[in-house]
């Protein structure tokens, strides 16, 4: 049974993202937990499902979306700064996110 007080949202990984290295998904999950802690968001669910990161937070849907927006921004920057490409799809259908 679903808890009506939990809002869920998800991020789709970029097809070129190297998520086979276990340190990358572990870092992303740690970042999500850190963002939630710093912002006072109660993160109640977090899981990877075939190239998608799904979270559940206690509160309104905008809280889940905001958490993922910050996670997307910070982890994409971190990954690019360390020589990787984009981690997440940007929604535009544009695969070349460096342009």
């Amino acid at each position: 049974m679903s808890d009506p007080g939990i809002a869920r949202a998800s991020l789709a990984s970029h097809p070129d993202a190297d998520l086979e290295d276990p340190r990358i998904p572990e870092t992303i999950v740690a970042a999500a937990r850190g963002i939630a802690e710093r912002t006072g968001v109660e993160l109640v669910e977090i899981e990877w499902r075939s190239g998608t990161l799904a979270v559940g937070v206690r509160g309104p849907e905008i809280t889940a979306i905001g958490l993922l927006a910050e996670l997307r921004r910070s982890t994409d920057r971190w990954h690019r700064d360390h020589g990787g490409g984009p981690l997440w799809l940007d929604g535009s259908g544009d695969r070349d996110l460096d342009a």
Side-chain angles (χ1 to χ4, degrees), residues 3-96:
D3 184 336
I6 297 176
R8 292 172 178 81
S10 61
L11 277 175
S13 64
H14 193 280
D16 296 332
D18 179 19
L19 299 176
E20 296 302 315
D21 180 346
R23 293 172 298 173
I24 294 174
E26 289 169 3
T27 299
I28 293 168
V29 168
R33 289 187 173 125
I35 292 166
E37 184 177 328
R38 282 192 313 276
T39 58
V41 172
E42 185 180 348
L43 182 62
V44 295
E45 300 171 354
I46 186 164
E47 70 174 312
W48 285 98
R49 289 183 246 164
S50 61
T52 301
L53 178 70
V55 298
V57 302
R58 190 156 314 277
E61 185 178 27
I62 191 70
T63 303
I65 293 168
L67 174 72
L68 288 181
E70 177 58 19
L71 180 67
R72 179 180 180 270
R73 184 198 63 75
S74 64
T75 56
D76 235 23
R77 178 177 296 159
W78 162 78
H79 196 248
R80 288 173 188 261
D81 287 351
H82 289 86
L87 287 173
W88 310 107
L89 289 177
D90 71 349
S92 71
D94 183 1
R95 297 288 188 229
D96 184 9

